[in-house]
Amino acid sequence: MDKNHTMKRKLIQLYAALLYNANLRGYIDGKIYTGNVKAACVPGFNCYSCPAAAGACPLGALQNALASSGKKAGFYVFGILMLYGLMLGRTICGWLCPLGLIQELLHMIPTPKLPKNRVTRALSYLKYVILAVFVCAVPVWYGIRHDMAVPGFCKYICPAGTFEGAVGLLSNPNNADYFGMLGILFTRKFVIMLIIGLFCIFCYRSFCRFICPLGAVYSLFCKIALVGVKVDGTRCNGCGACVRHCGMDVRKVGDHECIHCGHCMEVCPQKAISLKAGSLTLMAPEADARRQKWSRIAGGIAMAVLAFALVWFNFLDPSIQKQPEPEAPAQAEQTAAEGFEVGNVLKDFEIPCTDGSVFRLSEQRGKVVVINLWATWCGPCVQELPHFEALYAAHSEDIAVIAVHSPFVTDDVNEFLAEKDFTIPFAVEPEEGNVWQIVDGSTTLPQTIVLDRNGVVIYNQRGSVTPDLLESLYTQAAG
Amino acid sequence: MFLLIIQSVLCVLCVLVMSVLVVRLFLEGQAYKLDGHPSEWIYTREKAGNLLLTCLPLFLLSVGATVVSAVMGVKSSSKPQKDAEITRDLTIRCIKEPSAEMLAERSIQKRFHIGGWCGFAACMVPIVLYCVNPAHFDSSDAEGLETVIGAMVLHTAPWTCLAIAVLSVCLLLRDKSLERETNLAKNCKKEAISSKTAASSGKTVMIVRFAVLAAAMLCIILGMFNGSMRDVLYKAINICTECIGLG
């Protein structure tokens, strides 16, 4: 048996974490990766709003697919999850999950540890309840009944989203304005993240064992997963050392709680356990020169892939080149007052509306102008649309409101609007850009811009707004 | 052991202090908002920085304790856990015929096993009924959503706790029965260990694998054509602020 098995696994976990988060320049820019590669879901738990994330989170994608299940079946996500489940199953949890690595590192802090027992074994079924309630019920019902994407797990629980996404973005000085949108949601999720982290110190992989819905999904494939630890029945003497030494709540090697970490291979006195892919042995207690040779070749290929990924995502990807800089700052050099920041005069624009009319900013002078950047697939955006409608209804003579949909269109916007009774004008941002560039629109939604009667920006913030805030901004803008 | 306890206390303190500070900052911000500054920021980079600085000594102390532990070679104990079922299985492998008492214990174990799962399933029924009722997901505004989620958690949490408690108790009672069976087995006549060979279900597994693989490939191809792959991309390259807990 390889003595450095544990170290090898840690390195593979680290490798996976780095590969999923190969867009390291995201930490410098404070922006997320927007290339086409992100259509691919990574197998492990990794927030796609992390500045470094190079792929999509399968759980986030699943929730969004379920949220739009009333209109479109999320075949792609279901297919990907089935494929990962079939090929790797919970081996992903043990070897390819960055969150698993973080939990194991936290557990290495020397403290008294809580051993597994009957309660933890029963608690391991909690993740199936969370899967049913937060991952399935909430997104499905809100999607069907309200045309609103509410990824319940991401929004209310996910510690990866808080740590990698929220904290990852907030830690960049370029995103100082993100602090403006923090509130109860962040406070609650931050505390949840701390509590989960604390549990992980005392109790091995607490999040994995009790909460992780992705692990729950993969565990459904435990009987058919191709890769996993297998017991050689002819060698096994049933001593149970494998189960007794395992940190997870397994009843036998390879069951739905087994993450195939291979710790049992080290402790098995009979050397009866090995990591296999079908009939091919990937790792076994006995050293094998041929396997070691292939292992070295695979390691070399993996390193080459990582090196290529790092170069590609950080230097070569076309999305890096095509990211347009907002026009306004360049304009601001020529005419000092023109720009998108508070105090600047917003550059004139015109955009065709969904009702056939054309919205021209210059024609709105003398009125308070509210511009809302939104998307049908953004739950909070859909949630706050009625606030803009109410504001418009209350001050229709004195206010111009325009809601501009993101250039990324997933649902038919006209069909979406036909089901609602909005009177405010709506427009869809063209792919080549228009309003988005002028108001400094980004990949972060929703965003609200308020102009006073002279076209001067008095508010330009990302994040949700409340009716009170809108009313107060109107009062401020109306002078 | 002393170092381990110190480290535990420091970890708990770190989390406690950080949680309290975050909540306090939020409450201060709320009060500030109520004072008539609705568009002002509750948090700022500076405030967050100051918050982290307050926790820094405690955090450094905890890191220091970890370093000291590492230097002194202090490690958490990782003893193998006893498992009643394995102990029983090991013991009965040497037995030719299980006694009547042992069979009775097995019957009890089966009852606890089935009972535990039936109890668990029974506790899940109200949760499922709650989740399938669309009326429980009526509100669509921000405050309404919070209320809906709050109500859902309030409804599902007690049933979940009860389910876990029922399952735990049944597992405990089953383990007690397993222990009794093991004790009974120790008094039985012993024989040479016979090795069992698991019946091969390889063919069925292979068929299921191929079926799932075909379904997965079909789904992925369909997803490429029906736009669900593009939807994943659009969601992944845009940040929904509430979805990651920013607000």
Side-chain angles (χ1 to χ4, degrees):
Chain A
M1 174 69 200
D2 292 319
K3 282 180 184 168
N4 56 357
H5 161 77
T6 311
M7 183 54 74
K8 206 184 256 182
R9 191 168 70 87
K10 288 272 182 292
L11 285 175
I12 293 176
Q13 285 176 300
L14 192 64
Y15 172 85
L18 204 53
L19 197 62
Y20 298 168
N21 297 293
N23 179 46
L24 295 175
R25 67 178 291 146
Y27 283 120
I28 301 164
D29 300 343
K31 289 176 183 164
I32 62 166
Y33 170 67
T34 56
N36 289 339
V37 182
K38 228 172 177 181
C41 292
V42 297
F45 210 103
N46 195 66
C47 182
Y48 46 34
S49 292
C50 171
C57 170
L59 200 67
L62 175 66
Q63 288 172 86
N64 287 309
L66 290 172
S68 57
S69 55
K71 290 175 183 163
K72 190 190 293 172
F75 286 124
Y76 175 70
V77 185
F78 301 142
I80 284 279
L81 282 172
M82 275 198 272
L83 191 66
Y84 285 147
L86 175 70
M87 304 309 275
L88 298 160
R90 288 204 78 181
T91 307
I92 293 166
C93 308
W95 295 78
L96 302 172
C97 181
L99 206 58
L101 174 66
I102 294 171
Q103 290 178 84
E104 287 181 11
L105 293 177
L106 283 173
H107 193 67
M108 282 166 76
I109 296 174
T111 56
K113 304 298 179 193
L114 188 74
K116 64 177 179 181
N117 52 45
R118 295 168 199 95
V119 178
T120 61
R121 189 168 284 173
L123 261 177
S124 67
Y125 292 95
L126 177 65
K127 57 179 172 284
Y128 297 96
V129 180
I130 290 175
L131 173 69
V133 174
F134 283 92
V135 178
C136 298
V138 173
V140 166
W141 283 123
Y142 269 91
I144 291 173
R145 286 179 68 83
H146 306 293
D147 269 339
M148 212 160 76
V150 181
F153 183 78
C154 290
K155 190 170 172 178
Y156 295 102
I157 301 174
C158 184
T162 316
F163 181 67
E164 295 179 52
V167 177
L169 287 167
L170 287 168
S171 58
N172 192 293
N174 294 341
N175 297 329
D177 60 333
Y178 282 26
F179 280 88
M181 61 179 94
L182 301 186
I184 181 68
L185 200 63
F186 179 75
T187 309
R188 198 167 47 202
K189 274 196 78 182
F190 195 79
V191 173
I192 288 174
M193 180 189 77
L194 289 175
I195 292 169
I196 290 174
L198 184 67
F199 267 91
C200 291
I201 294 174
F202 295 103
C203 187
Y204 182 70
R205 276 183 174 250
S206 315
F207 177 76
C208 256
R209 287 160 68 189
F210 313 134
I211 300 172
C212 182
L214 191 60
V217 171
Y218 288 144
S219 74
L220 302 175
F221 296 89
C222 69
K223 298 255 191 245
I224 56 166
L226 202 63
V227 177
V229 283
K230 304 278 183 326
V231 183
D232 180 353
T234 56
R235 285 188 180 185
C236 176
N237 64 358
C239 70
C242 44
V243 173
R244 281 185 288 115
H245 280 86
C246 181
M248 303 294 286
D249 298 288
V250 295
R251 291 209 78 100
K252 60 176 184 180
V253 173
D255 72 1
H256 63 96
E257 284 303 310
C258 176
I259 55 166
H260 307 275
C261 64
H263 181 55
C264 47
M265 288 195 288
E266 292 171 9
V267 297
C268 179
Q270 296 293 107
K271 301 190 188 314
I273 305 172
S274 54
L275 185 71
K276 290 195 167 192
S279 56
L280 184 75
T281 304
L282 302 175
M283 215 171 254
E286 287 109 355
D288 179 342
R290 198 161 151 259
R291 196 167 50 243
Q292 276 177 351
K293 184 185 141 197
W294 281 108
S295 164
R296 273 196 289 273
I297 292 171
I301 294 170
M303 290 317 291
V305 169
L306 180 63
F308 174 75
L310 288 172
V311 173
W312 172 266
F313 287 112
N314 294 288
F315 303 106
L316 303 177
D317 190 276
S319 70
I320 301 167
Q321 273 82 39
K322 82 175 180 197
Q323 273 177 4
E325 285 301 313
E327 276 179 16
Q331 294 287 329
E333 284 171 19
Q334 292 162 14
T335 44
E338 204 168 78
F340 52 74
E341 284 171 1
V342 173
N344 293 153
V345 173
L346 196 71
K347 189 189 169 191
D348 188 28
F349 65 83
E350 65 172 53
I351 188 163
C353 298
T354 51
D355 60 6
S357 62
V358 174
F359 184 94
R360 282 185 195 85
L361 184 62
S362 53
E363 287 176 2
Q364 315 303 330
R365 285 287 149 86
K367 285 182 176 177
V368 171
V369 178
V370 178
I371 304 164
N372 171 237
L373 307 186
W374 73 293
T376 52
W377 39 259
C378 164
C381 303
V382 176
Q383 214 169 42
E384 65 176 17
L385 281 178
H387 305 335
F388 292 97
E389 178 67 22
L391 185 76
Y392 183 64
H395 311 282
S396 54
E397 297 298 310
D398 193 32
I399 196 168
V401 179
I402 176 109
V404 187
H405 190 284
S406 157
F408 303 112
V409 181
T410 57
D411 307 308
D412 187 336
V413 180
N414 288 322
E415 194 183 310
F416 174 87
L417 293 172
E419 292 166 13
K420 320 277 175 193
D421 290 325
F422 293 128
T423 53
I424 55 172
F426 283 86
V428 179
E429 176 78 349
E431 278 186 25
E432 61 274 15
N434 181 358
V435 180
W436 232 259
Q437 282 163 270
I438 292 168
V439 300
D440 188 31
S442 68
T443 52
T444 311
L445 287 175
Q447 183 172 342
T448 303
I449 303 101
V450 180
L451 315 180
D452 69 9
R453 294 182 196 282
N454 301 315
V456 176
V457 180
I458 64 152
Y459 182 87
N460 187 352
Q461 280 279 303
R462 296 174 183 105
S464 304
V465 289
T466 58
D468 290 346
L469 175 61
L470 280 179
E471 194 57 45
S472 125
L473 287 168
Y474 168 76
T475 313
Q476 193 184 332
Chain B
M1 191 62 192
F2 179 69
L3 254 177
L4 295 183
I5 290 168
I6 292 282
Q7 180 66 281
S8 312
V9 172
L10 284 173
C11 287
V12 174
L13 264 180
C14 258
V15 168
L16 259 178
V17 169
M18 229 163 159
S19 304
V20 167
L21 285 173
V22 169
V23 173
R24 204 183 70 187
L25 191 62
F26 168 71
L27 293 176
E28 279 174 8
Q30 286 298 103
Y32 187 61
K33 220 173 161 182
L34 288 173
D35 269 357
H37 308 275
S39 62
E40 294 292 330
W41 291 357
I42 294 179
Y43 293 87
T44 61
R45 205 174 161 74
E46 292 68 34
K47 280 182 184 175
N50 291 338
L51 181 89
L52 282 178
L53 277 178
T54 321
C55 294
L56 197 62
L58 206 56
F59 182 74
L60 287 177
L61 210 60
S62 182
V63 172
T66 308
V67 172
V68 170
S69 306
V71 170
M72 291 174 68
V74 179
K75 280 184 183 170
S76 313
S77 66
S78 54
K79 285 183 203 162
Q81 297 304 306
K82 277 186 185 171
D83 188 290
E85 196 165 357
I86 289 168
T87 316
R88 189 274 314 259
D89 287 349
L90 268 178
T91 318
I92 61 167
R93 288 190 72 188
C94 313
I95 291 165
K96 191 180 178 185
E97 282 285 317
S99 64
E101 291 97 329
M102 281 171 68
L103 289 174
E105 286 298 340
R106 279 185 203 176
S107 163
I108 292 170
Q109 288 155 27
K110 201 173 175 183
R111 264 182 244 158
F112 279 129
H113 183 75
I114 295 170
W117 280 109
C118 287
F120 188 87
C123 293
M124 289 296 116
V125 171
I127 296 178
V128 172
L129 289 177
Y130 190 91
C131 289
V132 295
N133 187 350
H136 291 135
F137 301 89
D138 255 350
S139 299
S140 62
D141 58 349
E143 281 176 17
L145 179 62
E146 290 288 308
T147 317
V148 164
I149 299 293
M152 190 182 72
V153 170
L154 276 180
H155 184 86
T156 54
W159 287 110
T160 310
C161 292
L162 186 64
I164 287 163
V166 167
L167 199 59
S168 302
V169 169
C170 286
L171 283 173
L172 174 77
L173 294 172
R174 184 171 172 267
D175 281 4
K176 292 281 175 206
S177 170
L178 280 165
E179 281 167 17
R180 284 198 298 273
E181 190 192 342
T182 311
N183 289 334
L184 290 168
K186 281 175 186 166
N187 303 323
C188 288
K189 193 183 167 189
K190 294 187 175 55
E191 266 196 353
I193 294 172
S194 62
S195 65
K196 281 188 286 180
T197 314
S200 169
S201 59
K203 202 176 171 186
T204 323
V205 169
M206 281 308 284
I207 292 168
V208 176
R209 272 181 190 161
F210 276 114
V212 174
L213 180 66
M217 298 313 287
L218 185 71
C219 279
I220 292 172
I221 292 165
L222 282 174
M224 284 173 176
F225 287 104
N226 86 337
S228 62
M229 184 182 180
R230 187 200 54 199
D231 292 0
V232 169
L233 173 69
Y234 285 176
K235 284 297 294 186
I237 61 174
N238 289 283
I239 303 169
C240 165
T241 54
E242 275 195 8
C243 308
I244 54 168
L246 275 176

